[in-house]
Amino acid sequence: MRAVLTVVGRDKVGIVAGVSQTLAELKFNIVDMSQTIMQGSFTMMLMCELPAIDVDFEQVRSQLNELGQQLGVQIRIQREEIFDTMYKI
């Protein structure tokens, strides 16, 4: 399964490191990534492959929300098929 992850907030040191470390611990593989900083605002979008074993998606979402609070950013994750459906309009 694939998922789309977005990170938005004020730029500061450690955002990319914190997110990528957490994804590695969850055994997620980052297959594509885009990041930009505009006038102090940080945005990052990642496409991730989740491990073949069953993943409790709500638990992952909760863990990423907690990480976002620690880093001072908003982190959202959606299954790829839901993301694609929402943005086909």
Side-chain angles (χ1 to χ4, degrees):
M1 172 190 357
R2 285 185 171 202
V4 176
L5 187 128
T6 58
V7 182
V8 179
R10 299 298 300 164
D11 184 38
K12 69 179 200 176
V13 173
I15 297 172
V16 175
V19 172
S20 59
Q21 179 178 347
T22 298
L23 294 176
E25 290 168 1
L26 292 168
K27 307 291 188 235
F28 284 24
N29 183 35
I30 299 170
V31 295
D32 201 357
M33 178 177 151
S34 173
Q35 169 216 304
T36 190
I37 302 167
M38 264 185 353
Q39 297 181 358
S41 294
F42 176 90
T43 61
M44 181 168 64
M45 187 172 197
L46 301 100
M47 176 67 71
C48 304
E49 285 182 343
L50 286 65
I53 59 171
D54 289 331
V55 173
D56 183 344
F57 207 74
E58 290 307 313
Q59 184 178 3
V60 169
R61 181 175 282 136
S62 176
Q63 189 172 348
L64 290 171
N65 283 337
E66 186 175 313
L67 174 65
Q69 290 176 355
Q70 292 171 7
L71 295 174
V73 295
Q74 183 179 43
I75 302 176
R76 293 192 177 175
I77 187 167
Q78 292 179 307
R79 296 174 194 267
E80 180 184 32
E81 61 271 12
I82 293 173
F83 181 87
D84 287 346
T85 301
M86 287 179 58
Y87 295 100
K88 279 189 178 179
I89 298 175

